[in-house]
């Protein structure tokens, strides 16, 4: 089971204080060439923002920071297409599958990767990537887990995104550097668009494909 994130390149992690701020950011991401977003549930606006982004943009919208089975049902009803969790929780995975979505659970160890594979999941969030050794650790884990695809999150930035994406075990990278909290809160769409455009241009300049839109 995969998330269908291959080809999206960058999955921005968006945390917004209001629905309006989330929509401004989402539209700016689209203008800058991004095709996917993880809208977190870290604020009171998170759930409604998922619904608004699903209605008002063409982004592939996922729900982030999903920690319980009960949250899965509400994000599915809001229009989320995939579910992101910081860790591996079998209840969340089962509920996500039952809701017709796919999970992107977080893993940090080989044991967690084996549990995820046993649950039928082969695309996994690697979190927190920078604290776990980054690309060198992913390279080491990819050797025994040849069919696993990783989405590193935590410490990913414009300085290392292209290097991550050049590795064959990386499905996409995840981070908030193109949607910084202060710009989102200020509804500064121009700044977010500029950061997004620069990030996409850096990928292309490195010989990587531009993010593609997922149906």
């Amino acid at each position: 089971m995969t998330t269908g994130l291959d080809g999206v390149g960058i999955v921005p992690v968006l945390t917004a204080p209001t629905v309006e701020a989330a929509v401004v950011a989402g539209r700016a991401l689209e203008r800058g060439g991004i095709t996917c977003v993880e809208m977190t549930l870290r604020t009171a606006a998170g759930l409604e923002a998922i619904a608004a982004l699903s209605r008002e943009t063409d982004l592939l919208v996922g729900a982030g920071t999903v920690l319980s089975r009960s949250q899965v049902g509400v994000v599915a009803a809001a229009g989320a297409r995939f579910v992101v969790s910081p860790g591996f929780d079998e209840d969340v995975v089962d509920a996500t599958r039952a809701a017709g979505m796919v999970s992107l659970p977080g893993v940090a160890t080989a044991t967690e990767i084996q549990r995820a594979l046993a649950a039928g999941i082969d695309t996994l969030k690697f979190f927190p990537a920078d604290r776990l050794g980054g690309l060198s650790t992913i390279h080491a884990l990819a050797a025994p887990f040849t069919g696993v695809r990783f989405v590193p999150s935590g410490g990913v930035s414009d300085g290392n995104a292209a290097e991550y994406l050049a590795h064959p075990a990386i499905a996409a990278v995840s981070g908030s550097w193109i949607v910084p909290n202060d710009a989102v809160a200020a509804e500064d769409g121009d700044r977010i668009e500029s950061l997004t455009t620069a990030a996409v241009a850096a990928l292309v300049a490195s010989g990587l494909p531009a993010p593609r839109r997922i149906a």
Side-chain angles (χ1 to χ4, degrees):
M1 176 184 291
T2 67
T3 59
L5 293 179
D6 279 302
V8 302
I10 299 170
V11 183
V13 180
L14 176 58
T15 300
T18 66
V19 174
E20 293 77 12
V23 171
V24 168
R27 289 173 174 162
L29 289 170
E30 282 194 298
R31 293 194 303 271
I34 290 294
T35 62
C36 183
V37 68
E38 173 192 338
M39 182 67 226
T40 75
L41 298 181
R42 298 177 191 172
T43 69
L47 183 61
E48 191 177 347
I50 290 170
L53 288 167
S54 298
R55 287 192 312 267
E56 300 182 32
T57 75
D58 291 324
L59 294 167
L60 178 71
V61 180
T65 326
V66 176
L67 305 177
S68 67
R69 175 181 288 270
S70 61
Q71 288 179 317
V72 173
V74 294
V75 300
R81 300 270 299 277
F82 62 96
V83 166
V84 185
S85 301
F88 181 82
D89 185 314
E90 290 178 4
D91 280 345
V92 171
V93 169
D94 289 345
T96 301
R97 182 178 289 116
M101 299 183 295
V102 291
S103 289
L104 183 64
V107 297
T109 66
T111 299
E112 291 169 325
I113 294 171
Q114 289 188 214
R115 289 178 61 203
L117 287 172
I121 302 173
D122 57 15
T123 301
L124 302 166
K125 176 177 178 175
F126 185 65
F127 175 80
D130 57 339
R131 298 291 186 258
L132 296 172
L135 189 57
S136 61
T137 301
I138 290 174
H139 182 74
L141 289 169
F145 297 111
T146 55
V148 172
R149 304 277 284 160
F150 296 95
V151 180
S153 182
V156 180
S157 69
D158 56 354
N160 59 19
E163 183 181 9
Y164 270 116
L165 285 167
H167 194 285
I170 304 296
V173 295
S174 172
S176 58
W177 80 96
I178 58 175
V179 279
N181 287 342
D182 58 342
V184 175
E187 300 184 20
D188 190 348
D190 289 342
R191 181 182 171 201
I192 294 168
E193 181 180 354
S194 178
L195 290 168
T196 302
T197 301
V200 171
L203 297 187
V204 174
S206 298
L208 296 165
R212 65 180 177 86
R213 192 167 301 283
I214 306 296

